[in-house]
Amino acid sequence: MELTSKEQKMLEGELGEAARQSMEILFALGKIYGAQNLIPVSSVQVAGVSCKTIGEAGLDYLRDLSSKGAKVKVKTFLNPAGMDREQWQKMRVPEGFAKKQIAVLDAYASMGIDMTCTCAPYLVGLRPKKGEHIAWSESSAVVFANSVLGARTNREGGPSALAAAICGVTPNYGMHLDKNRVADFTVKLGSEPKSATDFGALGAFVGEASKGKNTAFFGLKKATEDQLKGLGAALASWGSNALFFAKGITPEWRVSDSAEEISVGQNEITEMKGKMGVPEKPDLITLGCPHASLQEIGSIAALLRGKKLACELWVCTARQTKEKADKAGYSATIEKAGGKVVADTCMVVCPLEEMGYRKTATHSGKAAKYLGSLCKQQVVFDELGAFICK
Ligand code: F3S
C-alpha cells in the first residue's frame, strides 16, 4: 500500500505514539483488504461507546490512547452511550454503570470528539454529501450514509473508526470504490410498506434473504427519510447490508446484469412480523431506533396528546433533537401520557436487563433483533397505537 510521506511518518512514530498506533491499525486493514492507498475522510462516527458493549477492556484501551495524547483531526461524533448523561438517575441506571460510562465519555472528550452521542448524526448536522468519503461505524448510519446520502463508508469497527479520526484517513477499499457500489440482489415489491413495522419487517426479511449483498428495490414508490432510516437499519442488522438502492429515491442506482432476484409481498411481511415478536403486554415501549427525528417525536406527541400509555415509554434521540422537542412542547405531551424523551442512549446499549425490564416493545426492525439477543428481552413488535389505553 502506498503511503504519503506524512502517513509514513505517522507509521514510524514521528508524529506521536497515538498516531503510530492508529496508523498501524489502518495500514493492517488496508493490507488485508487490498487497498492501494489511504484517502482523507471528512467525518468519523465512532461506535463502542456504551460500557455495556466495550466493557473494562474497552475503557482501558481508550484511557491508554488518551494518555498517549490522541487527538482527532476531523469532525467526529459518538454512537449512543449506555445512558442519558442528564437523566440517568431518572431512568434508574445503576450507579456503578453510570460511573464507568462517565469515564468512557471523559476519555473520548479528551481526544477532542464531539460529545453528541447518536446513531443518526445526519439528523443533527453531520450530513455528508454524495461521493464524500467518511469513516462511520454504526451499522444503521453506515447504510443510511451510503444509500440515502450517497456518501462512501465501509462498516468500520470502533477502533478502526477512531484510528481514522486520529489520522484523518481511511484505507481505500470496499464501499469507497465505484466497482463495489453495484447491487447484486434485487427485490420486487408486491405491496408498498406503510408503517414503521412494515419497513422494519421488510428490512429484516430482505436482510436475511440477501445475506448482506448490495440490494436494489423495485416498486418502492415513496418513502420518507425516516422510513428509509428504519429500512436500512433493519437490513444492516438482519443481513449486515451496507448499501441499498431504491429506484427513483436513492441518489445512486447501479444493478448488476447477473443480480439475483426475489419478490416480496404482504404474506412475507406478515410472516416476518410474526417471527420478530410475541403478542405480550410489555414492561416498556422503546421508540427511536435509529434515533428519532424531530418530525417523528412530533408525530408521537400528536398520537399521545390527551391519552395514557399502558406502560412506560422511551423515545430515544440525540441531545440536540431532544432540546428542540422540549422547546416545541412534544416532550411535555409525551411525559403527560407516561413516557419520556431520552437523549445520548438507546434501548439496546443501555443496561435494560440490569434495570429489571423483561418484555420490551418496539416498532423498529433493528431493535427487535437486538433487544432479544443483546438485552435478553422478550420482544413485542408492534406500532405505538397498540399500547395506548382504550
Ligand atoms: Fe441506534 Fe441503538 Fe438502534 S444505536 S440504530 S438506536 S440499536
Side-chain angles (χ1 to χ4, degrees):
M1 191 165 68
E2 275 180 36
L3 297 184
T4 63
S5 63
K6 188 170 173 202
E7 290 159 2
Q8 192 65 42
K9 278 185 188 161
M10 283 190 203
L11 191 61
E12 285 163 10
E14 285 182 40
L15 301 181
E17 180 53 20
R20 189 201 63 74
Q21 211 172 299
S22 303
M23 186 51 83
E24 215 169 53
I25 293 175
L26 300 176
F27 191 69
L29 257 183
K31 268 175 52 181
I32 292 168
Y33 289 104
Q36 305 217 315
N37 60 338
L38 297 166
I39 41 168
V41 288
S42 57
S43 67
V44 170
Q45 193 259 0
V46 177
V49 179
S50 168
C51 48
K52 172 172 165 178
T53 54
I54 66 169
E56 289 290 343
L59 177 56
D60 289 347
Y61 177 78
L62 293 173
R63 278 183 168 148
D64 177 59
L65 209 51
S66 166
S67 73
K68 289 170 178 161
K71 293 281 177 225
V72 297
K73 285 203 169 50
V74 294
K75 184 86 176 154
T76 303
F77 275 23
L78 294 176
N79 220 26
M83 62 186 200
D84 183 316
R85 278 173 292 162
E86 291 175 11
Q87 301 189 92
W88 63 268
Q89 279 144 322
K90 205 169 153 195
M91 289 172 76
R92 303 190 308 277
V93 171
E95 199 169 343
F97 182 95
K99 277 193 181 144
K100 278 187 208 152
Q101 187 59 73
I102 290 165
V104 170
L105 292 172
D106 286 348
Y108 278 125
S110 74
M111 300 180 203
I113 295 177
D114 191 310
M115 284 294 102
T116 301
C117 298
T118 182
C119 50
Y122 45 85
L123 295 178
V124 289
L126 192 62
R127 204 172 165 92
K129 295 198 172 56
K130 186 177 172 194
E132 211 168 304
H133 296 279
I134 56 177
W136 288 13
S137 48
E138 155 55 34
S139 67
S140 69
V142 165
V143 72
F144 188 94
N146 277 321
S147 315
V148 183
L149 303 179
R152 297 184 170 211
T153 177
N154 286 316
R155 281 172 59 121
E156 300 292 343
S160 69
L162 187 54
I166 291 167
C167 298
V169 290
T170 194
N172 192 11
Y173 72 95
M175 286 294 131
H176 293 286
L177 304 173
D178 282 346
K179 65 173 182 172
N180 297 319
R181 299 178 68 87
V182 178
D184 36 22
F185 192 85
T186 63
V187 178
K188 283 204 171 129
L189 291 181
S191 65
E192 280 273 310
K194 290 187 179 67
S195 63
T197 51
D198 287 348
F199 277 91
L202 173 64
F205 182 88
V206 174
E208 279 194 339
S210 65
K211 300 188 177 67
K213 290 185 188 131
N214 295 340
T215 296
F217 288 93
F218 289 89
L220 190 61
K221 294 195 192 76
K222 38 175 215 274
T224 63
E225 205 174 279
D226 287 323
Q227 289 168 329
L228 295 174
K229 162 167 82 84
L231 173 67
L235 278 168
S237 51
W238 290 76
S240 72
N241 303 53
L243 173 67
F244 71 87
F245 302 130
K247 187 112 182 116
I249 294 181
T250 53
E252 289 173 86
W253 176 265
R254 284 184 217 95
V255 182
S256 155
D257 291 340
S258 55
E260 210 179 310
E261 189 181 308
I262 62 163
S263 297
V264 180
Q266 197 51 53
N267 288 350
E268 285 80 9
I269 300 293
T270 307
E271 208 172 294
M272 193 68 205
K273 284 184 183 176
K275 271 172 62 181
M276 292 168 77
V278 288
E280 294 272 343
K281 188 175 171 297
D283 312 323
L284 174 69
I285 310 152
T286 56
L287 306 178
C289 171
H291 270 176
S293 65
L294 187 63
Q295 290 82 340
E296 285 177 301
I297 301 176
S299 308
I300 294 166
L303 192 64
L304 294 181
R305 187 156 298 122
K307 310 257 173 61
K308 279 282 167 217
L309 284 157
C311 66
E312 212 182 330
L313 158 76
W314 295 353
V315 182
C316 304
T317 192
R319 179 145 309 275
Q320 290 93 321
T321 311
K322 180 183 182 297
E323 284 165 3
K324 287 186 185 156
D326 293 349
K327 271 200 193 128
Y330 300 154
S331 307
T333 305
I334 292 170
E335 289 214 4
K336 264 192 202 144
K340 36 172 111 59
V341 177
V342 298
D344 313 319
T345 188
C346 85
M347 62 297 276
V348 170
V349 298
C350 80
L352 267 195
E353 58 282 28
E354 271 186 62
M355 293 155 71
Y357 296 106
R358 297 288 172 264
K359 290 180 199 164
T360 299
T362 184
H363 64 197
S364 154
K366 174 170 179 178
K369 168 97 181 177
Y370 292 128
L371 282 168
S373 57
L374 298 179
C375 308
K376 302 188 181 81
Q377 300 295 299
Q378 267 196 306
V379 178
V380 183
F381 187 60
D382 212 336
E383 300 296 331
L384 176 60
F387 310 109
I388 296 176
C389 296
K390 299 280 179 250

